Structure formats: structure tokens, C-alpha cells
Amino acid sequence: MPESEKNSEFTWGHARRFNAYPDYFRKLFGARVQKVSIDAGFTCPNRDGTKGAGGCTYCNNDAFNPSYCIPEKSVSRQIEEGIAFHKKRYRKAGSYLAYFQAYSNTYAPVEILKSLYEEALRYPGIIGLIIGTRPDCIDDDKLALLKDISQHYYLSVEYGIESCYDKTLKRINRGHSFEDAVNTVTATAKLGLKTGAHFIFGLPGETRDEMLAEAEIISGLQLVTVKFHQLQIIKDTAMETEYRDNPTDFHLFTWEDYLDFIIKFLERLNPAIVVERFTGEAPPRFLTERVWGKKRTDQIVSLIEKRLEELDSWQGKYY
Ligand code: SF4
């Protein structure tokens, strides 16, 4: 009998072959919970000159924001429209998390952050916050505010880390080091706050082995959730020019190659870490080319699970 079939459940408490985000949420809340994205009008220190200018070389934030997120609209209005949008697609969702997604959502004085977060939490049906930000965009006062909110609501801080290698972070103009990210994640987790992180595979100059080795490094971070994306070349970014000039410096995955890579990566990843995404999907109008054809996120997850099944493998098999 294959080893995995000896128990109908893995260490994460269900039979899926990876520690999946929707199941983590269901276990936590006992029901489906949907995220509602918000663009609260923050900017980014890597764009306004505080940390750097021009931003990360791959960044065109518009490509990652849902259409109902327009900073001119109040937080409450965006939540209202976001909930209406989701109700059409997922009738079952009754509770929502406000996802402060665009740019760096801790990049403002504490009083402003407090008022924006509280506005979201006052909206009926909102049971918590997910706050996306940079590892260098948080301090003790902001962490104290988040800690305070987390005593009464679900709260997760999601850091864009992108790569474990400083040579890459430098090259993509992130404006922070990997050590900055480690220190921030550690300080956040030390307060008992839930931590999430985002990583990109295929950044220029990284070899496949280096990317695979990140599984071990990420496994050692105090993270509750992770999101992974394959690199996509987004129109009107500095990276688009770089890619055009030096395509051989990039490891842009084909779907078959990525499937093989992500399985190997998953086998090496700490099984305690919840995986929220394996891929990202910028709308086609932002992409220079559509490398994978039309594949929906749910199809991609099914294909990954199917391959794990075929190989009788699972997250953390070789961790
Ligand atoms: S930190 Fe985020 S918002 Fe700022 S430039 Fe980089 S990707 Fe864009």
C-alpha cells in the first residue's frame, strides 16, 4: 500500500495532498469565507523615492487589482461592490475578509491605518483583515495596532518577499534584502500575528536549482501561509524591456515544466505551511504573451493534485 494511503488524512487534517488554503479557512471558520480586495489609495516607498524610484521592475499594480478596486471610492463602497461581485459567483459565502491588496497597505501614519482598517471592520459581514505590504514598511507601532485588532478579528499580514536571494532582490529593484524580510516575518510572528508571504518563480538570473533550494529556506520561516506565482512579463514594465534585451536570462516556465517544478518544490516544503496559490494570473491585456494558454486557477490546482496522486506524493514528502 502506498505510504500516503495508510492514513486517510495528512498532518494538515484532510485527505488533499497539500495543505490547502480553502480547507484551512473552512477548518478555522467552519464555513466558506471570501476575500474582498480593496485599493485604499496607498502608495509604495519603492515608487515615491523614499526607498527607491520606479518600483520593482516587474510591477504594474493595475494588473493585479480587481476592477471594483478604485482608490477614489471609499473603503466601505469598495467592500459593498466587492461583496456584490462575489455574491454572484459564490452564493454560499456569508463572511468576508477585507483584503488590503494594492501597493503597500501599511505605508501611512498609524492613525490613518487605524481609521481605514476600522472602516473595513465596521462593514457588515467583514470578519477580519488581510494586509499586503512590504517587509520594510512596518514598525513597532504599526505591529502594535495590528496586534490590537487581531485580539478581536482574524488578521493576517502578507509580505511580498519574492525571492530568498539578495542578488535577485537587487536586480529586480525591490529595495530591501532577504534579511529584512526574515527579521520582519520573525517580529510579526513573535507577536502571535499570522504571517503570509509571496514568492515569484522565474525571476531573472535564478537557476531552477536555486529556486528549488528556496523550499528549504521558506520552510524555516515563521509563515502560516504562502503564495507562489510564476513570473509573467507584464506590459509597460522595466522588466518587459529587460526581457526583450536579454531573454536568455529568464527562466519563463512552460506549463509542463512548471508542473514538474512545483511538485518537486512542494515535496520539499514544510507541511505546516498553508499554500494559498501556486500560480498567478494577470489579465491577458497586461501580458506580453500568454505562455500557458487558457488555464483557470482551479484547473491548475486540479492538475497539480492529479500529478501528486499519480506520483503518490504530497507536500513535505521530502521535507
Ligand atoms: S513593492 Fe509592490 S507596489 Fe511597490 S513597486 Fe514593488 S511590487 Fe509594486
Side-chain angles (χ1 to χ4, degrees):
M1 186 195 296
E3 205 179 324
S4 63
E5 285 177 22
K6 288 178 197 155
N7 304 304
S8 60
E9 290 192 347
F10 293 95
T11 48
W12 41 84
H14 54 78
R16 293 183 74 175
R17 286 170 178 263
F18 73 101
N19 194 348
Y21 192 70
D23 301 81
Y24 159 71
F25 262 15
R26 253 190 295 271
K27 208 165 142 194
L28 206 60
F29 299 114
R32 183 178 185 120
V33 176
Q34 199 64 45
K35 287 197 265 184
V36 179
S37 296
I38 294 166
D39 182 341
F42 292 106
T43 56
C44 166
N46 202 23
R47 288 181 160 270
D48 69 6
T50 307
K51 266 280 166 172
C56 308
T57 57
Y58 57 83
C59 175
N60 175 347
N61 227 266
D62 291 342
F64 304 103
N65 252 355
S67 52
Y68 57 79
C69 287
I70 297 172
E72 289 75 31
K73 295 180 190 168
S74 70
V75 164
S76 313
R77 177 84 189 277
Q78 290 182 55
I79 294 176
E80 184 189 340
E81 292 181 9
I83 289 179
F85 174 84
H86 285 299
K87 275 214 165 120
K88 277 191 214 146
R89 297 176 72 192
Y90 311 103
R91 286 170 205 281
K92 278 195 202 143
S95 300
Y96 297 87
L97 297 171
Y99 180 22
F100 285 80
Q101 181 179 14
Y103 298 100
S104 302
N105 293 276
T106 55
Y107 189 43
V110 174
E111 314 74 60
I112 293 178
L113 297 179
K114 188 168 187 284
S115 120
L116 288 166
Y117 299 158
E118 285 180 352
E119 182 181 346
L121 290 166
R122 275 196 301 274
Y123 198 91
I126 296 290
I127 59 168
L129 305 177
I130 299 172
I131 297 165
T133 193
R134 289 169 55 89
D136 59 354
C137 218
I138 199 129
D139 57 31
D140 289 349
D141 292 342
K142 292 173 186 173
L143 282 174
L145 168 68
L146 300 180
K147 169 80 184 166
D148 198 35
I149 295 172
S150 76
Q151 311 284 346
H152 310 282
Y153 299 94
Y154 176 91
L155 186 138
S156 166
V157 197
E158 203 176 278
Y159 293 111
I161 299 181
E162 319 311 352
S163 170
C164 300
Y165 302 110
D166 283 341
K167 62 163 187 171
T168 312
L169 295 173
K170 203 165 177 196
R171 180 158 176 184
I172 61 174
N173 196 36
R174 275 294 294 178
H176 65 77
S177 66
F178 181 61
E179 193 186 357
D180 292 334
V182 175
N183 292 341
T184 300
V185 167
T186 307
T188 310
K190 205 170 156 196
L191 289 176
L193 291 164
K194 291 186 177 60
T195 51
H198 182 264
F199 296 92
I200 303 175
F201 296 130
L203 289 168
E206 281 187 7
T207 66
R208 194 186 170 91
D209 283 348
E210 282 172 331
M211 287 183 251
L212 262 185
E214 287 185 300
E216 198 181 324
I217 305 170
I218 294 167
S219 292
L221 299 177
Q222 293 182 58
L223 292 171
V224 177
T225 58
V226 280
K227 281 179 181 170
F228 302 116
H229 281 191
Q230 80 286 18
L231 180 71
Q232 295 170 295
I233 307 291
I234 307 290
K235 280 183 195 161
D236 302 326
T237 58
M239 193 170 275
E240 184 190 9
T241 313
E242 198 187 349
Y243 177 61
R244 221 184 299 119
D245 294 346
N246 265 315
T248 50
D249 255 12
F250 288 75
H251 186 99
L252 284 192
F253 286 94
T254 61
W255 161 244
E256 290 71 24
D257 191 18
Y258 193 70
L259 179 61
D260 181 68
F261 168 80
I262 206 74
I263 297 284
K264 290 193 170 71
F265 188 91
L266 211 47
E267 289 173 337
R268 288 159 176 76
L269 186 67
N270 184 345
I273 297 180
V274 179
V275 181
E276 183 172 351
R277 296 188 72 105
F278 293 110
T279 56
E281 32 164 12
R285 69 180 184 282
F286 290 105
L287 294 174
T288 52
E289 52 186 314
R290 202 160 186 181
V291 192
W292 291 4
K294 288 182 191 165
K295 275 194 183 55
R296 291 195 321 267
T297 309
D298 57 329
Q299 290 174 321
I300 285 171
V301 174
S302 300
L303 290 167
I304 291 171
E305 291 191 276
K306 188 165 165 257
R307 181 60 61 86
L308 286 169
E309 188 91 40
E310 286 162 4
L311 297 169
D312 188 33
S313 195
W314 57 90
Q315 179 180 341
K317 185 176 184 180
Y318 302 123
Y319 168 63

